[in-house]
Amino acid sequence: MPHTDPGPTPEQVGALVADYLAAWNEPDAAVRSGLLARCWDPAGVYLDPTVRTQGPAALGEHIGRVQASRPGSYLELVGDVDQHHDVVHFRWRQLRPGRPPGPVSRDFGQVGPSGRLVSITGFFGSD
């Protein structure tokens, strides 16, 4: 029998991605933790070419280290968020004051039964 669950709505996925990117842009660790609590599953796995983390606390710490290494930088969504079923795809780039925009990168993710992201796999400069 075919799987017919359409997964989360586009509005739900859009809110998850907005909170996720807001967490990457939030310098206050407590506020960032609150954003991740809304969008990141307790067992969620983040993977990019430089790191693998599991859980919102580990992801929040990683974001803090990235922010410290790139003062004033922030992420910007590029285009629309794509989804089907429980799979999410979006593009983003890093902006830094006084510098040209960074290359467009891609993230692929999955929304779990909790309604939060259970995984994000990022590819830098892959557009």
Side-chain angles (χ1 to χ4, degrees), residues 104-127:
V104 174
S105 298
R106 294 179 180 272
D107 280 2
F108 296 86
Q110 184 175 18
V111 179
S114 68
R116 292 177 280 179
L117 294 163
V118 294
S119 70
I120 288 283
T121 301
F123 293 84
F124 298 153
S126 61
D127 201 38

Side-chain angles (χ1 to χ4, degrees), residues 33 42 44 64 72 77 108:
S33 178
L77 183 65
F108 296 86

Side-chain angles (χ1 to χ4, degrees), residues 10-11 13-25 73-83 88-95 101-108 117 120 127:
E11 293 78 16
V13 170
L16 290 172
V17 171
D19 283 347
Y20 172 76
L21 289 175
W24 275 94
N25 293 334
S73 70
Y74 61 97
L75 302 185
E76 171 185 73
L77 183 65
V78 176
D80 295 326
V81 176
D82 299 318
Q83 79 166 101
V88 180
H89 164 256
F90 58 94
R91 299 177 315 142
W92 56 272
R93 65 181 171 190
Q94 183 181 61
L95 301 174
V104 174
S105 298
R106 294 179 180 272
D107 280 2
F108 296 86
L117 294 163
I120 288 283
D127 201 38

Side-chain angles (χ1 to χ4, degrees), residues 30-96:
V31 175
R32 185 169 55 244
S33 178
L35 289 163
L36 289 172
R38 288 197 317 234
C39 70
W40 199 255
D41 189 87
V45 173
Y46 172 82
L47 177 68
D48 73 26
T50 67
V51 71
R52 181 187 192 279
T53 71
Q54 184 166 9
L59 178 56
E61 291 168 8
H62 172 66
I63 292 170
R65 287 189 297 273
V66 170
Q67 289 175 346
S69 71
R70 298 175 180 100
S73 70
Y74 61 97
L75 302 185
E76 171 185 73
L77 183 65
V78 176
D80 295 326
V81 176
D82 299 318
Q83 79 166 101
H84 63 78
H85 295 84
D86 60 352
V87 179
V88 180
H89 164 256
F90 58 94
R91 299 177 315 142
W92 56 272
R93 65 181 171 190
Q94 183 181 61
L95 301 174
R96 295 173 83 176

